[in-house]
Amino acid sequence: MRELAYYEAKFEALEEIMSADERVHLINGTFLSLSPHRHVFQNLQKKFSERMFAPPISELGFCGLATGAAMAGLRPIVDLSTGSFIYEAWPQVANEAANAYSMSGGQTRVPVVFHLFHGLRGGGAAQHSGSPQAMLWNVPGLEIAIPSSPRDVKGLLKTAVASDNPTIFVDHTRLLDIRGEVPDNDQAIPFGVADIKRSGSDVTLIATSYTVQVGLQAAGKLAKEGIEVEVVDPRTLVPFDLATILSSVEKTHRVVIGDETHQSCGVAAEIAARIAESGFDKLKTRIRRVSTLDVPVPYSPGLEAHIGPSESRIMDAVRAALA
Amino acid sequence: MAAKKENPKETIELLRRMWLIRAFEEKVSALYAERQIVGLLHLGIGQEAVAVGALSLLRNDDYVYGGHRSHGHAIAKGADINKLMAEIAGRATGYCGGKGGSMHIVAKECGFITATGVVGGTIPLALGAAFAAKERKKGQIAAVFFGDGAGQSGSFHESLNIASLWQLPVIFICENNGYAEFTPLSAHTKIERLAQHAKTYGIPADTVDGNDLFAVRAAMAKAVDKCRAGKGPIFVECLTHRMRGHYEGDPAKYRELSQLAEWKKKDPIARVARALKSQKTLADKELAAMESEAQALAEKAAEFSLASPWPADDQVARQVTSD
Amino acid sequence: MLPNLPRENLLELCRRMFTIRHFEENLVLLHDKGVFGGHYHLYVGQEATGVPALSCLRADDYLFTTHRNHGHLLARGVEPKRLFAEILGRVDGLNKGKGGSFHSVAPSLGFLHSSGVVAGIIPLSTGTAYAAKAQKNGRLTVCLFGDGSLEEGAAPEAFNIASLLKLPLLFLCENNGKYGAGRAVAAAQSSSMAAYPLTELPKAYKIPAQQIDGMDAGLVHATISEAVGKIRRGEGPQFVEAQTVRFPGSETNWPTVPKPTNTALAWDVSDVPEKAREWYHSCDPLLIYIRELVEANRANRDEIAAIESQVKSEIAAAVDFATNSPYPKPEEAERDFFA
């Protein structure tokens, strides 16, 4: 199987998606944030320029445009770029797109994808480091995909675009350059299917997005201490695959959850609640969350590193689960 | 020539301040290239006449709000450049203890209330300050800086409307440098001058050469007089150019080299220097000394910053909410 | 004036205006009897805008409207019984009871989505216009909203994008803010919008904009026809502000009906409570239209009364249908929120 960089897999997906379906339009952004790999976006632009629209700085306006276009039969992908900018568009995403299908009694479909880069990026400070997916999980009517690997970003993006529901596609700039195996043939990954990124029998580490990669690093180091961590990646928050997680918990009896949304009402909080509700009897110790601390993200690099779900905090939590 | 109406002694001070901003920005740029500063850095090199021209006419207790390109605004309002540079370098001795960084400068003691990383984000905030100032009746006014990119934001329009309806003492200062991030204004809107929007809401507006210190001062003098007399909001649009890219590291390939050369000829600092020379107020030697002085101060600020400690990890939990 | 249309079309417009009027008046009765809860907004007093305007559209055009949507849906041809049922939250409603008044849809008639958030639909309308342009299907989008929407940032953002992309989009702003009868057209003004007249806002983006008397069915028809023609020829977005005098029954917190409408009111308002009399006398577009039909010899009073009578029966039957329609099962709340 060939190995690709995450950004290469992502753009391979975009190219295949756009070639296969002329209803797909790209609105705003480069899907690369400030990554130096601009050439892949420019290649896409050369091929599909009539289906790519660079709007003014009007997030509310262009997220509404994308939603309306989806209602009228296009399948737009909006790049909000910095995840915190979805706050400018919140009414259109949460109050219009999310509600349209349900409140129309199932008549109006909204096949729009809202793509964003979340999380701690290194010097982003408070306003450019948001992880809005926890808040968005609390808005019924939105699907949420959150890849962590080259294979997953390609497969999930395809499903996101094919879905008739409004989908939030949660990406992370720190994933763009990681490398991984990507199958040659076209493979969409269904929503609601978690992935066991690493097998282990001692502790179940559930992680999302870039924290999956951090977790794998931590697991590698813990293996040298004789601890075998099973890393489970939900890949989508909505729909959510609880069954795979519970099977893992059945095996290990110990859970640590690593995620970059802030602790209160964060992604880890919801996952912990679901496990506690359905798998309480399988647990031998309390669930431990390793989330970003409940503070506005500080600028200084040391402070920023301190508040996130770092490798050391994850390792400490795993060891504590076994103590 | 406008310089004749200005007091030469005052002009010298203004030039000194413009040089300080220029030297500061160049120093910060050098530190960034050495990776002593991380994150996003947006420099105002070339836009010094707007900052100094506008803010030299305000009181210490007037409220000033900025955007992501606001180092110069803070300096022109009277910020301590040591604390400012230390903040940009993420040190504990910075204005915000290293928590804000370049885009979130706060220098309250001199009336620079806050900057923001969200385009146009402080415009509604400035309205609030103006509202409070109006209630307080001490003659205070508010001023907010933003770029041409903010003109397409809905909240900019909402703010113009409210400021006009309530006749708030706020001066909208638009630095129209022709680019919103990497896109020329013309690709974002059919409107060439943002002053047009102000007029739509019944707000008197002026468009001036933002690289002419005296033109900016003249427009601001009128604006400040009107505002303090309770005659409502004013809009001042300053046409200028940023000599660097949107952020440090942006190769600015979207800009014609000839355009850059054109604007170099209009360098605001050089123009003031020429004016003082032609009036025989200052000679080449004295002008050169001014430049060196500014660079020395910037150098000292850099030494101070790099010698300052990083904020301690436990600082993340402090100042999240007020005690 | 009357629209420049054949008699049968004029009578059809009359029938639709009556439909809206009697629908709304019956809705107030239903609400006051406690048959449904939740807030709702009447289109009474604006019939001469919605009905002629929407008659200029193609069957496959898109329409977006707001909380004041009953008139638009009915003008376009939605069955009154399905709309009643939706507002009553019944299973036979347009949205199976899941939307209510604010969110009633009729996709086959071009209403894909309705929003109760002021200006919520304005960005969406740029989307369907964008899609129509991309798909080259000639479909036009009409964005129907009130003067209040212009205070939301979403409106200028949408104007900018629409003008930038030359979208096939008609912005139809219904300014029902004229207070009192007999004021000149230009005197309508919003007290919470500094731009005046409102047409200055789209004009700032070089979108052609005009103000018209929304109570004049003929003027509305002619203006909208022309605007629609321009859009279909690819000239880009157009903006029309149609002004009406706010219906007295919409001035209170909860809608009321000062006097149930009937054809005879067009010539004798002595029965109307004094506070509302001037409005029915001079500002009721439906009554103005009826008078004009008669004065122009396009119809006589009896014909019009007969049309009204038929409408009233239809509405009565629609009310019956809706009140007898069952409520959806509670479990339905947990279904159908994902495609």
Side-chain angles (χ1 to χ4, degrees):
Chain A
M1 214 193 288
R2 58 198 182 134
E3 197 190 68
L4 289 182
Y6 184 102
Y7 78 88
E8 288 172 332
K10 183 172 176 179
F11 273 76
E12 196 175 84
L14 281 172
E15 151 93 48
E16 284 173 23
I17 288 165
M18 293 194 79
S19 297
D21 189 345
E22 63 178 19
R23 298 172 300 172
V24 179
H25 282 236
L26 301 186
I27 293 173
N28 198 53
T30 59
F31 298 86
L32 288 165
S33 186
L34 299 173
S35 155
H37 307 297
R38 285 290 169 83
H39 64 278
V40 291
F41 177 75
Q42 278 152 3
N43 292 344
L44 209 61
Q45 242 177 345
K46 277 191 207 120
K47 248 187 121 174
F48 303 110
S49 62
E50 349 71 65
R51 289 198 266 142
M52 293 168 74
F53 167 44
I57 304 176
S58 312
E59 285 80 6
L60 180 68
F62 66 71
C63 283
L65 184 150
T67 302
M71 290 175 180
L74 292 186
R75 305 188 84 85
I77 313 176
V78 184
D79 180 17
L80 278 146
S81 194
T82 298
S84 303
F85 297 160
I86 203 171
Y87 302 144
E88 311 294 311
W90 205 261
Q92 289 295 324
V93 176
N95 222 1
E96 308 292 346
N99 288 330
Y101 183 73
S102 174
M103 69 184 187
S104 69
Q107 294 172 86
T108 297
R109 293 172 182 228
V110 189
V112 63
V113 176
F114 296 107
H115 166 285
L116 55 90
F117 287 103
H118 85 102
L120 307 170
R121 59 163 72 163
Q127 294 181 320
H128 285 70
S129 310
S131 296
Q133 57 271 29
M135 292 189 215
L136 292 162
W137 199 354
N138 198 244
V139 177
L142 296 172
E143 289 177 335
I144 303 176
I146 180 162
S148 70
S149 71
R151 184 171 141 264
D152 288 347
V153 68
K154 182 171 179 190
L156 290 175
L157 193 52
K158 292 203 160 191
T159 306
V161 177
S163 166
D164 272 353
N165 297 307
T167 309
I168 314 288
F169 197 85
V170 186
D171 208 335
H172 200 299
T173 52
R174 283 186 158 152
L175 288 169
L176 290 172
D177 287 309
I178 62 157
R179 302 187 67 81
E181 285 186 336
V182 182
D184 281 317
N185 55 340
D186 176 39
Q187 234 177 50
I189 293 174
F191 283 178
V193 179
D195 186 35
I196 304 204
K197 290 287 196 291
R198 182 188 194 279
S199 287
S201 45
D202 294 327
V203 176
T204 298
L205 169 65
I206 302 152
T208 65
S209 189
Y210 178 65
T211 312
V212 170
Q213 299 296 331
V214 175
L216 288 169
Q217 298 286 331
K221 290 188 177 161
L222 287 164
K224 300 197 179 104
E225 294 174 29
I227 300 171
E228 290 301 330
V229 176
E230 178 148 289
V231 179
V232 183
D233 175 5
R235 297 200 292 196
T236 55
L237 300 180
V238 184
F240 187 77
D241 178 2
L242 184 59
T244 300
I245 287 171
L246 290 177
S247 308
S248 177
V249 177
E250 182 128 39
K251 191 168 58 163
T252 67
H253 312 293
R254 294 159 207 280
V255 173
V256 171
I257 310 170
D259 171 85
E260 260 186 64
T261 56
H262 293 282
Q263 182 160 298
S264 296
C265 298
V267 163
E270 178 59 23
I271 297 175
R274 293 189 189 199
I275 297 171
E277 279 165 349
S278 308
F280 187 72
D281 51 335
K282 305 188 205 321
L283 294 167
K284 284 190 177 157
T285 179
R286 64 177 175 81
I287 298 170
R288 287 164 173 81
R289 295 179 288 170
V290 184
S291 303
T292 299
L293 303 185
D294 282 335
V295 298
V297 178
Y299 166 70
S300 197
L303 297 184
E304 183 189 317
H306 179 76
I307 68 166
S310 61
E311 188 184 275
S312 57
R313 279 180 68 205
I314 290 174
M315 289 172 73
D316 284 346
V318 168
R319 289 190 202 103
L322 286 163
Chain B
M1 206 164 53
K4 289 223 163 76
K5 298 199 206 123
E6 297 265 0
N7 175 346
K9 273 213 167 72
E10 206 176 353
T11 306
I12 292 171
E13 272 320 297
L14 298 176
L15 180 60
R16 207 187 292 281
R17 216 168 299 158
M18 288 171 80
W19 257 125
L20 188 58
I21 295 173
R22 176 74 56 98
F24 181 96
E25 296 286 69
E26 286 177 342
K27 190 66 206 172
V28 161
S29 169
L31 291 180
Y32 189 85
E34 293 164 27
R35 295 193 189 290
Q36 302 271 23
I37 291 174
V38 299
L40 286 170
L41 198 63
H42 308 84
L43 301 182
I45 294 173
Q47 299 184 200
E48 298 87 352
V50 184
V52 173
L55 297 174
S56 54
L57 290 159
L58 293 188
R59 279 169 19 187
N60 196 59
D61 66 345
D62 287 328
Y63 303 105
V64 173
Y65 289 83
H68 53 275
R69 200 179 302 284
S70 275
H71 305 162
H73 303 145
I75 294 171
K77 191 68 170 63
D80 173 333
I81 64 162
N82 292 341
K83 286 169 78 173
L84 185 60
M85 202 177 286
E87 182 56 37
I88 297 167
R91 301 301 216 260
T93 50
Y95 265 112
C96 310
K99 292 204 178 175
S102 166
M103 291 188 283
H104 313 107
I105 304 295
V106 176
K108 253 188 109 176
E109 85 284 0
C110 61
F112 188 82
I113 307 304
T114 188
T116 180
V118 177
V119 170
T122 47
I123 300 175
L125 298 176
L127 257 62
F131 181 81
K134 193 171 177 181
E135 297 287 299
R136 206 174 284 126
K137 297 185 173 57
K138 284 209 229 114
Q140 293 165 292
I141 63 178
V144 58
F145 290 91
F146 50 93
D148 43 289
Q152 291 68 253
S153 155
S155 61
F156 165 68
H157 291 266
E158 292 183 2
S159 300
L160 289 175
N161 184 32
I162 293 170
S164 177
L165 280 172
W166 296 358
Q167 288 289 284
L168 296 177
V170 57
I171 303 176
F172 297 94
I173 306 172
C174 176
E175 290 178 274
N176 184 345
N177 63 16
Y179 287 94
E181 289 184 292
F182 324 106
T183 313
L185 183 62
S186 58
H188 277 179
T189 182
K190 287 186 170 170
I191 316 307
E192 286 176 18
R193 297 280 176 260
L194 275 79
Q196 184 55 49
H197 291 307
K199 292 179 183 156
T200 300
Y201 293 94
I203 296 175
D206 244 331
T207 301
V208 300
D209 176 355
N211 279 23
D212 179 345
L213 175 72
F214 307 113
V216 175
R217 291 242 313 164
M220 268 307 276
K222 261 173 50 191
V224 170
D225 277 345
K226 263 193 140 153
C227 237
R228 268 197 227 293
K231 301 223 179 96
I234 319 274
F235 194 99
V236 179
E237 181 171 17
C238 304
L239 304 178
T240 180
H241 194 77
R242 51 164 169 74
M243 301 306 284
R244 297 291 179 92
H246 168 61
Y247 61 88
E248 283 299 276
D250 166 22
K253 292 201 183 133
Y254 46 84
R255 180 172 52 187
E256 303 270 353
L257 283 174
S258 59
Q259 201 182 32
L260 189 58
E262 272 308 304
W263 278 99
K264 266 202 165 116
K265 291 188 205 149
K266 301 184 199 172
D267 185 309
I269 288 177
R271 283 163 86 169
V272 178
R274 273 200 300 275
L276 288 170
K277 246 181 86 177
S278 76
Q279 293 173 304
K280 310 238 189 308
T281 309
L282 284 184
D284 276 336
K285 231 173 60 175
E286 289 155 305
L287 289 164
M290 226 189 250
E291 185 181 343
S292 319
E293 259 172 56
Q295 283 163 348
L297 287 169
E299 191 57 50
K300 269 191 142 160
E303 279 165 22
F304 169 79
S305 303
L306 297 182
S308 290
W310 295 103
D313 282 349
D314 64 9
Q315 287 303 302
V316 296
R318 300 210 45 236
Q319 295 142 353
V320 175
T321 50
S322 184
D323 297 321
Chain C
M1 65 191 207
L2 288 174
N4 184 12
L5 290 169
R7 193 182 103 98
E8 58 186 49
N9 294 63
L10 293 178
L11 294 182
E12 177 56 22
L13 296 186
C14 184
R15 192 187 69 75
R16 293 200 185 205
M17 291 192 209
F18 269 128
T19 302
I20 294 170
R21 181 62 58 96
H22 287 292
F23 180 98
E24 300 286 57
E25 289 182 355
N26 274 272
L27 198 60
V28 176
L29 290 172
L30 286 168
H31 181 268
D32 292 349
K33 277 196 255 177
V35 179
F36 75 96
H39 215 269
Y40 63 107
H41 302 82
L42 303 182
Y43 199 67
V44 175
Q46 298 177 213
E47 296 92 342
T49 303
V51 172
L54 269 51
S55 74
C56 299
L57 301 177
R58 241 163 59 172
D60 63 350
D61 286 333
Y62 295 109
L63 301 97
F64 281 97
T65 175
T66 64
H67 52 280
R68 200 177 299 283
N69 57 359
H70 309 159
H72 300 141
L73 292 159
L74 294 168
R76 186 72 163 151
V78 161
E79 291 180 275
K81 68 183 191 192
R82 303 285 315 283
L83 184 54
F84 271 130
E86 184 53 39
I87 298 170
L88 268 48
R90 309 301 171 96
V91 94
D92 292 305
L94 290 167
N95 303 25
K96 302 182 193 161
K98 287 231 178 153
S101 170
F102 295 178
H103 312 113
S104 297
V105 300
S108 61
L109 291 170
F111 292 97
L112 301 177
H113 177 89
S114 251
S115 179
V117 178
V118 172
I121 43 101
I122 301 185
L124 296 171
S125 70
T126 63
T128 50
Y130 176 92
K133 193 170 180 184
Q135 293 166 326
K136 298 186 170 63
N137 54 31
R139 294 163 90 158
L140 183 153
T141 299
V142 182
C143 187
L144 298 144
F145 53 95
D147 45 295
S149 291
L150 296 171
E151 295 157 31
E152 281 282 348
E157 288 193 9
F159 294 152
N160 185 37
I161 291 173
S163 98
L164 208 54
L165 294 180
K166 244 182 156 184
L167 294 180
L169 181 49
L170 172 63
F171 294 105
L172 177 47
C173 174
E174 293 184 74
N175 182 353
N176 60 6
K178 276 166 78 173
Y179 287 92
R183 289 181 66 178
V185 168
Q189 184 172 342
S190 168
S191 63
S192 32
M193 167 49 68
Y196 180 78
L198 299 179
T199 42
E200 289 300 296
L201 290 161
K203 278 182 178 167
Y205 296 96
K206 307 193 164 91
I207 295 176
Q210 48 187 319
Q211 283 179 309
I212 59 169
D213 179 357
M215 301 184 298
D216 182 334
L219 184 55
V220 171
H221 187 263
T223 308
I224 300 296
S225 293
E226 200 192 339
V228 164
K230 287 185 168 153
I231 296 170
R232 286 212 211 279
R233 285 194 295 275
E235 289 179 35
Q238 307 281 314
F239 183 103
V240 175
E241 177 194 346
Q243 298 178 342
T244 53
V245 180
R246 197 178 182 83
F247 171 54
S250 288
E251 303 232 303
T252 43
N253 259 337
W254 290 92
T256 60
V257 178
K259 172 74 185 172
T261 301
N262 70 82
T263 306
L265 270 184
W267 293 278
D268 180 5
V269 293
S270 51
D271 255 355
V272 179
E274 203 190 318
K275 263 181 80 179
R277 200 174 296 154
E278 186 51 35
W279 187 86
Y280 281 93
H281 183 259
S282 323
C283 307
D284 183 336
L286 169 56
L287 300 180
I288 292 172
Y289 188 70
I290 293 173
R291 279 198 293 276
E292 284 180 338
L293 276 175
V294 170
E295 278 161 30
N297 276 314
R298 305 307 291 275
N300 61 49
R301 295 191 198 196
D302 289 336
E303 272 180 299
I304 295 171
I307 292 173
E308 182 176 23
S309 179
Q310 209 191 0
V311 165
K312 285 175 87 164
S313 310
E314 201 190 296
I315 295 296
V319 169
D320 257 342
F321 172 88
T323 47
N324 287 318
S325 171
Y327 284 102
K329 300 198 184 71
E331 312 83 79
E332 285 302 311
E334 292 184 57
R335 289 210 278 269
D336 239 0
F337 55 93
F338 274 137

